[in-house]
Amino acid sequence: MTKFIRKNQKKVLAIFSVGLMVAFALPSMTSNSRRTEANIGSIDGGKATLGSREYNASRGQWLALKRQFGPRAIAAVLGGIDRVDESLVVKVLGDPQSSDRIDEYAQMVQQNPMFARFLNQETGMLYESARAGSPVFGQIENIEELFPLLVKEATLMGVGVNGDLIESILAARGLTRDADPELYDSMHQALRSLLMVNNAAARAAAVIKVTQPEVKNLLATQRQQIAVNLVEFAAKDFLDKVAAPTTQQVQEQFDKYKNKEAGEGQMDFGYKYPNRVKYDAVQINRDEVKKGAAPVELEQIWEYYLRNKDNGEFVKDTGPSTRPEDSFALRPGPTTRPMTFDEAKEKIVTRLTNDRVEELATKVRDAVRNTMKADYDAYKAAFAEASKATSTTAPTTKVATTGPTFAAPASSLGVPYNSFDYLKKLRDKIQADMKVSVSIEQQDGWQTPKLLEESRLGKESFATDARLPLPFYLARLLEPFLTAEEKKQVAMARGDNRSAAVWEPTPVFRDAKDNLLIARATAADPSHVPPSVDEVKEKVAADVKTAAAFEKAKLAAQAALDAAKNKWLQSVANEQGKRMLSTSLFSIADGSRSATPVAVDELKGAALDSFVQGSFKLLTLPPRSGEAPRPVTTQPATTQATTQKTTAAATRPVATTGPMVSAAFKDHPVGLIEAPADGKVLVAEVDQVKPVWTKDHQAMWDTGVAFQERNAFETALRSAWFVYDNVVKRLSYVPEEKRGDRKPQQQMPPVSPF
């Protein structure tokens, strides 16, 4: 070795020198490679950073999760499906059909909210979790920084994940390392990030505790029924005592509520016009289509019977045998048999008739909409050509409100497309070509969202295949009503979710009876403030008088309340010559029901809710002291009965004979209930309170109420936990200065996975 080194001394020194150079250069090269990673933002005053690699990795994981599991399943996880049973996470993420099932549940509940009551416990939890997580999913979709920040936060919190849970999900999906190592590793890490984010929210929500006083309060307000006595003071009864408003009062009232729509301000005051629309429509009635369908011939019935008699469609249930000897048989005989032709005939006729009606309805629908669409496109193109020829265009606001205004050429039906005569011609053409009568309708007066809801078509529940109701579509999704950002979002929508311009035919709407409808907005007026008070002067002046009359009603009600501090409310009513009403028992839930559960005239909507909420607030008032005999009414019993809305609202029987017994005021607090939406003030006295539980089951009710309240608080906290602004505040997150010029993330409406 020594001889070798002496012989090759120069070569050895050269190799040694190169090695030293590499050794010194390697740390510098590694350091430079680290500097190439961009810093996206700092956390907690620079104590931590979000690097570009972390950011891109998290974004890639989010895209992979959506692609692999679907939005509804992810929404269920973010909605806290694991709160009751962690195995449900495996079920919702491991089953490829889970997203479709949740979507089916959502559609069924949307069609009939009562369906939610019949979901089994597991199905109900899947649906509710997906619904709760839907806004969270939408925020993550709209704000690209949100998921990377949530993953970073969970990492800094040291949140762990059950590795067996991830393995179970991947196994249920059929993903193994042996089959596809790259996909397995990427999905393993993506699931880890998702579950870390979910566990971080769960850790925050775990701090919620429901105290015993809160449980008692919930039992008192939500698990009791109450009946009250009422004396009503209505603003309308004081209008004749109010002077006409001055010009200044009218102007002040207008200025105060001009930016609110009716129903948004006090006592429903509001003068801002909502979105308004005029429209016409073509309706294809199923019964009329049935009249135009060809009758089913006997030979067609035979042909269908012979072709399908052996496929199990025509089976008659015969029931178990009634012969005595068959009761001893080891193998019971068949309980079904094939139908004969005569037995199956009616069923076949119904089936073939329905098929023909559906086929003809589809042809009529396509003929109507295709004709309207072609003529609309020609109408729109003609306007564009007219604009070029005159080197001008109609003002944007005018086009948005009434559509292009110019001398429209004749359509394919020989009359201008933008006229009601066009629909008359279209109706006649369909009648002549297809022997089907279609009906047409025109609404030439401005239709507000409320009027659309209350219209005949609104009540018949016409909706698109995407479950968009006709009133909502006409009042919200027309192009003139959309903001620039909403137009971008709607432009990416498919099918029935797309908006329509003025005069453009809408998507096809269908009601529960399979009647079809296609509409056109003939004019659209976006929500706006009246240019001056003169336009709504009469309404404003009437509202000023109503507000003043309501104040007088409050004063009169307060005087009655003061008199009732040491008297029964019936005594006060007798003294003032007023009528006292007594309700039946009702619960806090009755405030959201359409039918009035109490004997009060015209209470509905916001007024009904105010009454029910105010009645239960009486239980929080300090008890009255003293006692007095209960008086009888001085009003005829029949007078009270005239105010009953339902049989459940029967007034309390009135005693007419027998001695009067003194009763303590202690359990009968009295107070005021204001229902400004209906212009009424009620003096209310608690008549009776009835709990829905018994002492024997007190512990069970306490536990159940505490669980429901904790679950509600956890859901609210989880929802707030994922809000982008809250995440930024928690982390003290500050983007890098070089990113400061970019526009801030906008809080867009959540993208619902439903």
Side-chain angles (χ1 to χ4, degrees):
M1 177 63 72
T2 305
K3 292 181 179 180
F4 176 80
I5 293 175
R6 288 176 180 175
K7 184 177 181 180
N8 299 283
Q9 185 175 7
K10 292 183 178 180
K11 294 181 180 179
V12 172
L13 288 173
I15 293 172
F16 183 71
S17 300
V18 170
L20 287 175
M21 292 173 63
V22 171
F24 282 113
L26 188 60
S28 177
M29 292 172 61
T30 304
S31 177
N32 289 335
S33 67
R34 288 175 180 169
R35 292 194 194 103
T36 59
E37 180 181 0
N39 190 16
I40 301 298
S42 63
I43 296 172
D44 195 14
K47 294 180 181 178
T49 58
L50 177 64
S52 59
R53 291 182 182 175
E54 293 176 289
Y55 180 89
N56 294 330
S58 297
R59 286 298 303 167
Q61 290 165 8
W62 176 252
L63 296 175
L65 289 167
K66 289 194 300 178
R67 186 168 55 249
Q68 186 70 29
F69 301 108
R72 299 164 192 84
I74 297 174
V77 174
L78 295 173
I81 189 62
D82 60 323
R83 280 183 287 178
V84 177
D85 190 348
E86 197 175 56
S87 66
L88 291 176
V89 178
V90 179
K91 189 172 187 65
V92 75
L93 293 178
D95 184 359
Q97 305 301 321
S98 61
S99 284
D100 293 336
R101 279 202 295 272
I102 294 172
D103 194 26
E104 291 174 4
Y105 302 149
Q107 290 181 6
M108 286 186 280
V109 172
Q110 185 178 13
Q111 291 175 347
N112 183 8
M114 293 294 293
F115 178 78
R117 297 188 177 186
F118 301 101
L119 296 176
N120 61 47
Q121 184 178 9
E122 183 177 289
T123 302
M125 286 189 292
L126 285 174
Y127 168 71
E128 289 298 334
S129 296
R131 194 163 66 95
S134 173
V136 179
F137 179 91
Q139 289 191 72
I140 295 177
E141 275 288 270
N142 287 326
I143 305 175
E144 64 178 24
E145 284 181 330
L146 186 51
F147 190 68
L149 284 174
L150 289 168
V151 174
K152 184 69 175 181
E153 179 182 45
T155 303
L156 294 173
M157 290 171 63
V159 176
V161 175
N162 185 351
D164 293 339
L165 187 63
I166 299 177
E167 296 291 344
S168 299
I169 296 170
L170 294 176
R173 283 278 179 166
L175 298 176
T176 62
R177 191 185 298 276
D178 295 337
D180 192 336
E182 185 176 349
L183 177 61
Y184 178 88
D185 290 340
S186 64
M187 292 312 305
H188 194 284
Q189 187 56 49
L191 280 171
R192 176 174 291 277
S193 296
L194 175 64
L195 296 178
M196 280 173 54
V197 168
N198 177 64
N199 291 349
R203 178 189 292 183
V207 302
I208 294 175
K209 299 292 185 291
V210 181
T211 64
Q212 191 61 30
E214 178 66 9
V215 170
K216 290 183 177 180
N217 178 64
L218 291 169
L219 283 172
T221 56
Q222 299 182 14
R223 297 296 185 270
Q224 290 192 130
Q225 291 181 308
I226 188 174
V228 296
N229 301 319
L230 304 169
V231 174
E232 177 185 297
F233 294 85
K236 64 181 181 181
D237 297 332
F238 294 86
L239 285 174
D240 57 350
K241 299 178 177 63
V242 176
T246 65
T247 303
Q248 182 180 354
Q249 288 175 322
V250 171
Q251 186 64 50
E252 290 175 351
Q253 174 81 2
F254 175 75
D255 292 339
K256 186 175 182 179
Y257 297 108
K258 67 180 180 182
N259 292 314
K260 296 181 182 295
E261 294 182 9
E264 294 180 349
Q266 183 184 13
M267 298 182 68
D268 280 349
F269 296 151
Y271 310 113
K272 182 180 180 181
Y273 292 120
N275 289 342
R276 300 184 298 174
V277 64
K278 298 178 182 179
Y279 70 93
D280 54 26
V282 179
Q283 185 172 337
I284 306 168
N285 295 311
R286 186 84 171 184
D287 291 340
E288 294 297 329
V289 176
K290 192 172 183 178
K291 294 177 184 177
V296 180
E297 303 293 340
L298 181 61
E299 61 183 51
Q300 295 168 332
I301 303 174
W302 267 109
E303 179 187 354
Y304 188 91
Y305 175 75
L306 295 174
R307 188 171 65 249
N308 296 281
K309 67 176 183 177
D310 297 327
N311 64 5
E313 183 175 353
F314 305 116
V315 177
K316 184 176 180 63
D317 186 7
T318 60
S321 174
T322 58
R323 297 187 307 172
E325 59 269 25
D326 288 342
S327 62
F328 298 98
L330 296 177
R331 294 184 178 180
T335 58
T336 60
R337 64 171 176 79
M339 287 183 177
T340 65
F341 174 76
D342 289 336
E343 291 171 335
K345 183 178 178 180
E346 184 178 352
K347 183 177 180 180
I348 296 172
V349 171
T350 301
R351 173 68 179 272
L352 294 180
T353 300
N354 288 339
D355 289 346
R356 294 185 179 195
V357 171
E358 184 63 32
E359 181 181 1
L360 182 57
T362 301
K363 289 181 179 179
V364 174
R365 177 201 69 190
D366 292 344
V368 170
R369 195 169 195 284
N370 292 341
T371 302
M372 294 176 68
K373 186 67 169 67
D375 284 332
Y376 169 74
D377 290 341
Y379 167 76
K380 186 178 178 182
F383 171 72
E385 289 297 324
S387 299
K388 291 180 182 178
T390 58
S391 300
T392 184
T393 58
T396 304
T397 55
K398 190 68 174 176
V399 174
T401 302
T402 62
T405 54
F406 70 109
S411 64
S412 64
L413 302 180
V415 295
Y417 172 77
N418 59 337
S419 67
F420 191 58
D421 288 338
Y422 176 83
L423 292 192
K424 294 179 182 177
K425 291 286 187 180
L426 180 59
R427 174 194 59 193
D428 297 342
K429 178 176 173 57
I430 296 298
Q431 172 66 44
D433 294 348
M434 299 187 172
K435 304 299 184 288
V436 174
S437 297
V438 299
S439 58
I440 58 176
E441 179 175 334
Q442 182 183 36
Q443 289 293 343
D444 204 28
W446 287 118
Q447 302 295 301
T448 64
K450 184 177 180 180
L451 290 177
L452 289 169
E453 289 281 354
E454 296 173 351
S455 68
R456 178 184 65 84
L457 297 180
K459 291 179 179 178
E460 290 177 359
S461 302
F462 277 96
T464 66
D465 290 340
R467 308 296 176 191
L468 294 176
L470 175 66
F472 175 83
Y473 190 95
L474 291 177
R476 188 69 186 85
L477 284 186
L478 296 179
E479 284 186 5
F481 300 153
L482 301 177
T483 64
E485 192 61 40
E486 287 172 338
K487 287 180 180 178
K488 292 179 182 178
Q489 294 181 358
V490 172
M492 295 185 289
R494 298 179 180 178
D496 296 341
N497 292 324
R498 298 182 69 87
S499 63
V502 173
W503 291 112
E504 182 179 4
T506 66
V508 178
F509 295 86
R510 184 187 298 266
D511 69 1
K513 297 179 181 178
D514 282 335
N515 299 320
L516 305 177
L517 181 136
I518 301 170
R520 301 184 304 176
T522 59
D525 185 26
S527 176
H528 65 279
V529 176
S532 70
V533 69
D534 295 335
E535 198 167 308
V536 288
K537 189 173 183 178
E538 290 185 7
K539 177 173 174 52
V540 178
D543 288 347
V544 173
K545 288 195 66 174
T546 300
F550 186 72
E551 292 301 318
K552 289 186 177 296
K554 286 169 63 176
L555 292 174
Q558 184 62 50
L561 175 63
D562 293 339
K565 294 298 184 182
N566 54 6
K567 296 179 182 179
W568 293 107
L569 188 58
Q570 182 66 73
S571 299
V572 177
N574 291 343
E575 292 171 1
Q576 297 190 6
K578 296 188 72 69
R579 183 177 58 201
M580 188 188 80
L581 306 176
S582 296
T583 76
S584 59
L585 289 166
F586 59 92
S587 67
I588 195 76
D590 289 316
S592 59
R593 296 177 183 171
S594 57
T596 306
V598 292
V600 181
D601 286 333
E602 301 175 355
L603 274 185
K604 58 184 179 181
L608 175 60
D609 186 61
S610 297
F611 166 75
V612 173
Q613 297 288 339
S615 296
F616 277 89
K617 286 182 180 179
L618 295 175
L619 300 177
T620 66
L621 297 176
R624 290 190 289 172
S625 59
E627 62 179 37
R630 280 187 175 274
V632 296
T633 179
T634 59
Q635 300 291 331
T638 54
T639 305
Q640 294 186 8
T642 60
T643 65
Q644 296 177 15
K645 289 286 184 180
T646 64
T647 56
T651 49
R652 179 165 45 82
V654 179
T656 57
T657 61
M660 293 193 299
V661 180
S662 290
F665 298 133
K666 177 182 177 183
D667 297 325
H668 304 276
V670 63
L672 291 184
I673 301 175
E674 293 186 20
D678 247 22
K680 294 177 180 177
V681 184
L682 306 171
V683 182
E685 174 188 72
V686 174
D687 187 21
Q688 57 177 313
V689 179
K690 181 181 178 181
V692 298
W693 76 92
T694 61
K695 291 291 184 181
D696 296 341
H697 300 88
Q698 181 76 47
M700 182 186 72
W701 279 94
D702 286 353
T703 302
V705 168
F707 173 80
Q708 291 181 4
E709 186 70 0
R710 183 172 64 252
N711 189 58
F713 273 119
E714 285 183 5
T715 300
L717 191 148
R718 287 179 67 96
S719 179
W721 178 266
F722 292 110
V723 173
Y724 176 75
D725 289 342
N726 295 339
V727 176
V728 170
K729 291 177 182 177
R730 288 199 306 268
L731 294 176
S732 299
Y733 173 70
V734 179
E736 282 297 290
E737 292 181 358
K738 62 183 179 182
R739 290 159 46 87
D741 294 336
R742 70 187 182 95
K743 295 181 180 179
Q745 296 283 356
Q746 294 183 357
Q747 295 286 339
M748 299 297 298
V751 178
S752 173
F754 294 126

